[in-house]
Amino acid sequence: RGLQGKEERGAAALPFFQPRSSRAGRARGRARARGDGRGCARVAMTHDRAAEALMLDHLPLVFSDTEYMSPVDWLYFALWILVDSLNMLMSVNICRSIAHRTWSARERRRWLAQLELERVAVVVPCYLPNEKGIIFDTIEHITSRLDYSGELVLHVVYNTPTPLAEHEARLAALHGKEHGAMRRRVFVHKVVGSRSKAENLNHVIGTVLDPEVERYVAIFDADHHPDPSCVTTLMAFLLQQQADCVQGSTYIRNRQWRAHASKRWGLPAQLLAWLLANFIDAEFFVTYFVWMPAIELIGRTGFFGGSVALWRYDSLALYSFSTQVQTEDIDASARAVIGRQKIRFCPEARSGELSPANLRSFWRQRQRWAIGWDQVSLRYLSAISHSQLSCREKAGLYYVFPGRWVACTIGLIAGIVHPVIASIYRGYPWGPWLNGALLFGFFFYALSTLMMVTQLVYHREPRAWPFVLLFYFAGPAYVLLQAMLVLQSILSIVFGRDGGWVVTQRAGAGADTHAPARAVRIPRQPRAEGDVVIWELVITNLVSAMIAIFVIMLFFTPPVIALWIVVCVFSINVDLVGMMWVVGVPLNPIAFVNLVMSVGLSVDYCVHIAITYDAALIAARKRGETGRDAVHHAVSFALVQMGVSVLKGGWTTIIGIFVLAFASSVVFRTFFTMLVFVVIFGVMHGCLLLPVLLAYASSLPTCWVRGAEGASAAGSGDARTTHPVRKAAQA
């Protein structure tokens, strides 16, 4: 871009991506063939002018024209083929799932009136300190509003770390009695010593329920209010599909504006809680009605989500809930599917739950879910391969569990990386292959969008449509959120910080919904005197290193460039210290050594760009250019000539040390984590922040940035600086 003429356009590519036969080369060959020496010389001069312009103009970099594709083009094309393949797989199975569910619902309605429904035991686990304000409403709802023609018995099983005499007395008064408008019997069970939902469920399933009487078990969380037809739909679907478990869907029942009114916290908190509730409600709809049924067809199985599910007791009793993982429901699902149990999705069986009280509760809930999924994925990698499942079923489980990491990466490429690249290089010809891949992917994305809209119109009221559409088309932001959660969960697992969990504070739960949620985790040890000493050493070493870097760079660059390098290196290390806290790396002697060593590693990413910029600025001053144009061209040339090498260096560094992520030694795992973030922050600072700072240098005094002496020396061909330190270095 910016080069004129047919001959110059072929010379515009970078040397690394140069086509085998450029237009200038072909023109020179034609001139040679006809013996036209002047034409050959003229073409060579044109080629030289184009090469000189290469140093000063924006370039198309890696994308192809209609005549050739560079190696990076082919790599990008291969990535898009993978994106299109997953997109096509999901879109086709979304259509299949909708057609299958439509036919199944029609058949179910035909024989449901003649079906004799059997007895169902509804189990509601409860953590009393967090749910004491909502459990009685849930009991009233289940015993009064569930439209189930068969016999239904409610079992409330709860635990509490501290005695709550008033609420426990109210629960005890309900035990063994009929309650509600439909006079359904309620049983209350307190599990002494329990600390989790998993222990509550294991107690009631293993010691309370009678397998001769309770042949079917429905599980709902304490904040759930099932729709009147929910249990009936679950039972009919389970018998129709001959499944062992049927998983329903959830929505947010407190998404109305008035449900978040708070005199204490005012309008901003109410608005935030209302937006959060509607965002989660839209996410649940797209997840349960669009994505999960399609994933079930791909993986040949659904999975149990912890609530709104109906189990056959014989199947449920085979798999106790684990207390060693964050998501005991997904762990039980994995073991059940490996044991060839049949789990199916039925999104038409719906139940309303309460939204998290605030953003902190929402983030902690999603952290727990992400860690739980990754724990299960890592735990059963080998068990899936050694199971008796078919090859297609194994492939489906790998797609559901570890495949979510690949899907997250593909989503980042399609939703974040590509829009950024397309906005930077808009208007440049991408070539027929890349354009074909993009159009192919757009077709299937439009198809899945159309299917989502049909489900939205059919299953949801019109007031929910704007939020669902907004969520669906804001997919890149959601993909970025999921990527952050996956990255943090993986690092938490690697560093052994996945043992604790935080109870989700619910909006409208009868307590202070903006108070911090009650945490259940191993307490941390108080800071020792050695920690203070290490912090002092860190600060001393970092300050000394910054001073040394600035002094040394004065021998090779002007003061302003040396200052920007120090700023970037200091920022990289501050980011690294902050990331250590995020991922849970303690500041011990091991981390201290890596932190000090990272100073030398982070310099590398900034110095290459800065030195190349300095050399390009000298060349620009030689040609007589001054002001912002010279600085702008020098920055462009530095990114073009050195930016790709910096990116490749960072990427290959991560590849080279990736095996250390699976090491058993804490030393190696700490080194891996910190070096990965040094590379990430170093590339970001070197290729994003530093060029901006260098471009800003054009507004500084001329004595700091190749000033008047550069312009005056342009006529004589000498661009030497008058700065004493740099003059001595040049001499």
Side-chain angles (χ1 to χ4, degrees):
R1 212 158 40 186
L3 304 182
Q4 302 296 326
K6 295 182 179 181
E7 294 82 8
E8 295 174 352
R9 186 166 178 262
L14 287 174
F16 182 75
F17 304 112
Q18 185 73 25
R20 295 181 180 178
S21 178
S22 65
R23 294 186 179 183
R26 290 195 298 271
R28 191 181 296 109
R30 289 194 299 270
R32 238 186 244 111
R34 65 173 179 263
D36 188 355
R38 289 178 300 174
C40 184
R42 183 169 60 253
V43 172
M45 291 175 62
T46 301
H47 188 276
D48 293 339
R49 288 198 303 272
E52 181 180 357
L54 171 65
M55 299 172 60
L56 302 175
D57 275 303
H58 294 294
L59 299 175
L61 289 183
V62 300
F63 296 110
S64 65
D65 58 14
T66 57
E67 296 186 5
Y68 76 96
M69 288 182 67
S70 68
V72 177
D73 286 324
W74 283 111
L75 176 61
Y76 196 69
F77 174 69
L79 288 176
W80 264 105
I81 290 297
L82 181 58
V83 172
D84 290 345
S85 300
L86 293 180
N87 196 4
M88 179 181 66
L89 184 65
M90 283 295 294
S91 300
V92 170
N93 283 283
I94 286 173
C95 298
R96 288 181 57 205
S97 67
I98 292 175
H100 178 73
R101 291 200 338 263
T102 302
W103 174 86
S104 178
R106 186 180 305 171
E107 292 295 319
R108 187 166 59 251
R109 286 192 298 268
R110 183 178 303 173
W111 58 270
L112 183 59
Q114 305 174 356
L115 182 65
E116 183 178 352
L117 300 177
E118 299 190 38
R119 171 173 170 144
V120 172
V122 177
V123 176
V124 178
C126 173
Y127 180 70
L128 199 57
N130 190 54
E131 295 162 335
K132 59 179 182 287
I134 58 177
I135 184 60
F136 297 101
D137 291 338
T138 301
I139 294 174
E140 181 67 27
H141 179 88
I142 292 176
T143 56
S144 301
R145 299 183 183 179
L146 275 185
D147 185 13
Y148 185 72
S149 59
E151 184 180 0
L152 189 146
V153 179
L154 175 61
H155 292 268
V156 178
V157 52
Y158 75 93
N159 67 300
T160 175
T162 57
L164 298 172
E166 179 184 353
H167 297 86
E168 292 187 66
R170 290 181 60 188
L171 288 174
L174 299 174
H175 180 68
K177 298 180 180 179
E178 294 180 349
H179 186 75
M182 297 186 178
R183 311 308 300 170
R184 284 168 174 157
R185 192 171 297 276
V186 179
F187 296 93
V188 180
H189 314 277
K190 179 180 180 180
V191 185
V192 179
S194 172
R195 297 185 60 192
S196 64
K197 175 183 175 181
E199 292 177 285
N200 292 349
L201 290 174
N202 290 337
H203 173 79
V204 73
I205 294 170
T207 62
V208 174
L209 299 182
D210 185 359
E212 299 296 331
V213 179
E214 319 288 0
R215 296 182 57 192
Y216 300 95
V217 180
I219 300 177
F220 294 94
D221 283 339
D223 64 316
H224 274 256
H225 286 184
D227 285 359
S229 62
C230 178
V231 178
T232 302
T233 304
L234 289 173
M235 176 64 77
F237 194 86
L238 183 138
L239 297 177
Q240 181 188 27
Q241 299 292 325
Q242 298 181 356
D244 296 285
C245 173
V246 175
Q247 173 65 50
S249 64
T250 61
Y251 61 91
I252 299 299
R253 60 184 173 91
N254 63 328
R255 62 185 182 276
Q256 297 81 10
W257 174 260
R258 63 180 180 273
H260 301 279
S262 174
K263 294 182 180 179
R264 179 178 179 182
W265 297 99
L267 182 62
Q270 182 181 3
L271 178 62
L272 181 61
W274 176 72
L275 291 174
L276 180 63
N278 282 274
F279 166 80
I280 298 174
D281 181 71
E283 178 198 16
F284 282 171
F285 175 80
V286 175
T287 300
Y288 284 108
F289 280 87
V290 181
W291 293 338
M292 282 188 177
I295 292 175
E296 177 188 346
L297 291 179
I298 296 173
R300 301 296 297 274
T301 183
F303 51 85
F304 169 52
S307 184
V308 200
L310 181 67
W311 280 86
R312 295 181 188 269
Y313 179 85
D314 294 339
S315 301
L316 181 60
L318 295 175
Y319 308 99
S320 62
F321 292 95
S322 174
T323 59
Q324 304 300 317
V325 295
Q326 297 274 7
T327 52
E328 69 286 335
D329 44 9
I330 305 302
D331 180 81
S333 298
R335 287 183 282 123
V337 173
I338 293 174
R340 306 193 70 85
Q341 303 293 327
K342 188 177 181 181
I343 303 177
R344 292 293 180 262
F345 282 123
C346 180
E348 291 78 11
R350 307 177 67 213
S351 177
E353 68 173 50
L354 296 174
S355 63
N358 45 49
L359 286 176
R360 176 187 295 178
S361 299
F362 170 75
W363 178 256
R364 287 178 171 176
Q365 180 194 59
R366 297 313 170 95
Q367 277 184 316
R368 181 171 61 85
W369 290 358
I371 292 174
W373 270 95
D374 292 332
Q375 285 175 330
V376 174
S377 300
L378 295 172
R379 174 176 287 194
Y380 296 107
L381 277 177
S382 60
I384 294 174
S385 62
H386 293 91
S387 65
Q388 300 299 319
L389 300 174
S390 65
C391 293
R392 180 177 176 181
E393 290 171 333
K394 292 179 181 179
L397 285 180
Y398 280 122
Y399 178 85
V400 170
F401 289 108
R404 59 191 290 271
W405 302 326
V406 179
C408 186
T409 304
I410 295 300
L412 283 176
I413 294 174
I416 304 294
V417 176
H418 174 69
V420 171
I421 293 177
S423 64
I424 294 175
Y425 297 101
R426 60 182 181 274
Y428 188 80
W430 288 54
W433 291 99
L434 285 173
N435 280 320
L438 294 174
L439 290 175
F440 187 78
F442 177 78
F443 169 77
F444 283 103
Y445 178 77
L447 178 63
S448 61
T449 302
L450 178 62
M451 294 297 101
M452 184 276 297
V453 172
T454 60
Q455 293 295 290
L456 177 62
V457 173
Y458 186 76
H459 291 285
R460 294 303 301 269
E461 65 278 5
R463 65 181 179 181
W465 295 356
F467 287 100
V468 175
L469 293 174
L470 181 63
F471 168 80
Y472 192 83
F473 291 111
Y478 183 72
V479 168
L480 185 61
L481 172 65
Q482 294 298 318
M484 293 169 58
L485 290 169
V486 169
L487 177 61
Q488 185 171 7
S489 70
I490 291 294
L491 294 174
S492 298
I493 293 173
V494 169
F495 287 97
R497 293 178 57 86
D498 56 337
W501 59 283
V502 177
V503 179
T504 301
Q505 196 77 17
R506 300 287 181 175
D512 183 4
T513 58
H514 296 295
R518 183 184 298 272
V520 181
R521 62 172 73 248
I522 300 173
R524 294 185 180 182
Q525 297 295 329
R527 291 185 64 181
E529 183 180 356
D531 296 335
V532 179
V533 175
I534 290 181
W535 271 112
E536 293 177 354
L537 290 174
V538 167
I539 295 174
T540 302
N541 280 272
L542 288 182
V543 172
S544 303
M546 297 305 113
I547 296 174
I549 292 172
F550 181 74
V551 172
I552 293 174
M553 291 310 302
L554 287 176
F555 286 92
F556 303 98
T557 61
V560 66
I561 297 180
L563 177 63
W564 291 147
I565 292 175
V566 171
V567 168
C568 289
V569 174
F570 180 76
S571 177
I572 291 171
N573 285 270
V574 170
D575 292 343
L576 184 60
V577 172
M579 188 55 64
M580 287 172 58
W581 179 85
V582 171
V583 302
V585 177
L587 188 58
N588 50 29
I590 299 174
F592 167 70
V593 172
N594 286 277
L595 189 61
V596 175
M597 184 176 60
S598 66
V599 176
L601 297 174
S602 56
V603 169
D604 194 41
Y605 298 98
C606 300
V607 169
H608 285 305
I609 298 293
I611 294 295
T612 308
Y613 163 82
D614 195 30
L617 192 60
I618 293 176
R621 298 298 186 189
K622 259 187 174 182
R623 290 185 293 273
E625 295 189 12
T626 59
R628 284 187 175 272
D629 289 339
V631 175
H632 173 71
H633 291 156
V635 170
S636 301
F637 179 73
L639 286 176
V640 168
Q641 290 295 100
M642 193 56 62
V644 175
S645 299
V646 170
L647 289 173
K648 289 192 296 182
W651 178 243
T652 52
T653 300
I654 294 178
I655 294 177
I657 64 172
F658 184 72
V659 293
L660 297 181
F662 306 99
S664 58
S665 172
V666 178
V667 177
F668 291 138
R669 294 204 306 268
T670 303
F671 175 76
F672 167 76
T673 303
M674 298 187 68
L675 188 56
V676 165
F677 283 112
V678 167
V679 171
I680 294 174
F681 293 140
V683 170
M684 292 175 62
H685 283 74
C687 295
L688 298 178
L689 177 61
L690 184 59
V692 176
L693 297 177
L694 294 175
Y696 175 74
S698 61
S699 63
L700 295 176
T702 55
C703 62
W704 282 70
V705 290
R706 305 285 184 213
E709 76 278 4
S712 62
S716 63
D718 187 10
R720 291 181 177 270
T721 179
T722 58
H723 188 272
V725 177
R726 179 165 174 77
K727 188 173 182 180
Q730 288 181 343

